[in-house]
């Protein structure tokens, strides 16, 4: 795990694959405390990435910083952008606006056309950056933060993510899901400064197919 920025109120880190984002044994807060060498450090999860997904995350170092960052998210002033590699060739630009239902028994998110108590609106926009050998690199702007949203929506619309064992294609043998938290943009909870961070995906397949065009 790499800490790319820290001050007394926030930490920006690269979350590895296979680690939970929340305060569970072995989760990201525990890893950050170990990296800081302080098992009692205040590290608060502000947003989440799926356990299988890697990339940029910001953590709060105080209760007030957590409150202010959470307020930015609620007001949609906290911007998250992702890179993904999908099977197929989606439109050059597009948007998915769906209703999502979480199935806790199967731990899956399903697209539905029926409104209901547990059904939530999901909206994202994307841009196709390149296509190689039947795979497309897309940038994704997430406007709502539903569980498995990007994975479920792209799969539903016919473009499952490479390496996705839950929503992807049978026989897909990429070692990790090709979804990466690429950019975070928000206002610093204490100074009010605009914070804008980017991080490239790892140098492994299928990302290496798009090395020449990765932002």
């Amino acid at each position: 795990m790499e800490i790319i920025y820290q001050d007394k109120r926030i930490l920006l880190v690269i979350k590895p694959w296979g680690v939970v984002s929340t305060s569970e044994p072995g989760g990201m807060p525990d890893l950050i405390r170990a990296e800081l060498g302080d098992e009692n450090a205040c590290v608060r999860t502000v947003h989440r990435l799926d356990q299988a997904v890697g990339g940029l995350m910001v953590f709060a170092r105080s209760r007030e910083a957590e409150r202010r960052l959470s307020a930015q998210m609620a007001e949609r002033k906290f911007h998250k952008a992702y890179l993904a590699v999908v099977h197929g060739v989606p439109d050059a630009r597009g948007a998915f606006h769906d209703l999502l239902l979480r199935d806790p028994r199967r731990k899956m998110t399903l697209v539905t056309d029926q409104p209901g108590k547990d059904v939530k609106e999901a909206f994202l926009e994307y841009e196709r950056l390149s296509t190689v050998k039947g795979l497309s690199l897309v940038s994704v702007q997430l406007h709502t933060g539903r569980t498995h949203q990007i994975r479920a929506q792209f799969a539903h619309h016919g473009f499952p993510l490479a390496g996705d064992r839950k929503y992807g294609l049978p026989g897909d043998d990429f070692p990790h899901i090709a979804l990466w938290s690429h950019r975070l943009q928000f206002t610093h909870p204490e100074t009010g400064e605009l914070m804008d961070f980017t991080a490239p995906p790892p140098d492994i397949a299928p990302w290496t197919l798009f090395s020449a065009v990765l932002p």
Side-chain angles (χ1 to χ4, degrees), residues 40-76:
N40 297 313
C42 180
V43 179
R44 295 173 175 269
T45 302
V46 176
H47 63 110
R48 300 184 182 189
L49 289 179
D50 294 348
Q51 184 173 353
V53 177
L56 274 174
M57 289 190 71
V58 60
F59 289 83
R61 302 188 73 176
S62 71
R63 186 183 299 273
E64 181 62 16
E66 177 190 26
R67 186 190 69 78
R68 293 184 182 184
L69 289 172
S70 296
Q72 290 183 45
M73 291 184 188
E75 296 165 5
R76 298 191 178 182

Side-chain angles (χ1 to χ4, degrees), residues 2-191:
E2 179 185 1
I3 296 176
I4 63 171
Y5 174 86
Q6 63 175 305
D7 60 31
K8 63 181 181 179
R9 293 292 176 251
I10 60 172
L11 285 147
L12 269 292
V13 305
I14 303 295
K15 175 190 171 297
W17 292 296
V19 181
V20 295
S21 302
T22 51
S23 294
E24 302 172 35
M28 285 300 297
D30 274 2
L31 293 187
I32 292 169
R33 292 185 187 105
E35 186 72 16
L36 295 173
D38 181 0
E39 64 181 16
N40 297 313
C42 180
V43 179
R44 295 173 175 269
T45 302
V46 176
H47 63 110
R48 300 184 182 189
L49 289 179
D50 294 348
Q51 184 173 353
V53 177
L56 274 174
M57 289 190 71
V58 60
F59 289 83
R61 302 188 73 176
S62 71
R63 186 183 299 273
E64 181 62 16
E66 177 190 26
R67 186 190 69 78
R68 293 184 182 184
L69 289 172
S70 296
Q72 290 183 45
M73 291 184 188
E75 296 165 5
R76 298 191 178 182
K77 296 178 180 178
F78 187 112
H79 302 292
K80 296 178 281 188
Y82 296 78
L83 293 172
V85 178
V86 303
H87 291 275
V89 186
D91 292 340
R93 291 178 181 271
F96 297 149
H97 200 160
D98 298 301
L99 296 176
L100 298 186
L101 173 66
R102 184 68 179 165
D103 183 341
R105 183 179 61 83
R106 290 192 291 166
K107 297 183 178 180
M108 292 187 70
T109 296
L110 308 173
V111 175
T112 179
D113 58 2
Q114 298 296 322
K117 182 182 69 171
D118 298 321
V119 174
K120 296 182 179 180
E121 179 185 30
F123 177 49
L124 63 78
E125 295 178 283
Y126 71 85
E127 178 182 3
R128 175 167 50 84
L129 303 178
S130 182
T131 299
V132 177
K133 298 180 179 179
L135 295 171
S136 295
L137 175 70
V138 295
S139 63
V140 183
Q141 185 72 44
L142 201 57
H143 295 287
T144 54
R146 311 307 182 196
T147 302
H148 293 182
Q149 178 180 338
I150 295 173
R151 300 164 66 185
Q153 285 190 279
F154 271 92
H156 173 77
H157 290 279
F159 308 104
L161 270 64
D164 193 340
R165 301 290 181 267
K166 187 176 288 285
Y167 300 91
L169 296 177
D172 185 332
D173 59 358
F174 290 110
H176 298 287
I177 184 172
L179 179 59
W180 186 258
S181 175
H182 166 65
R183 184 178 185 183
L184 295 179
Q185 188 180 67
F186 57 92
T187 300
H188 193 284
E190 182 172 79
T191 67

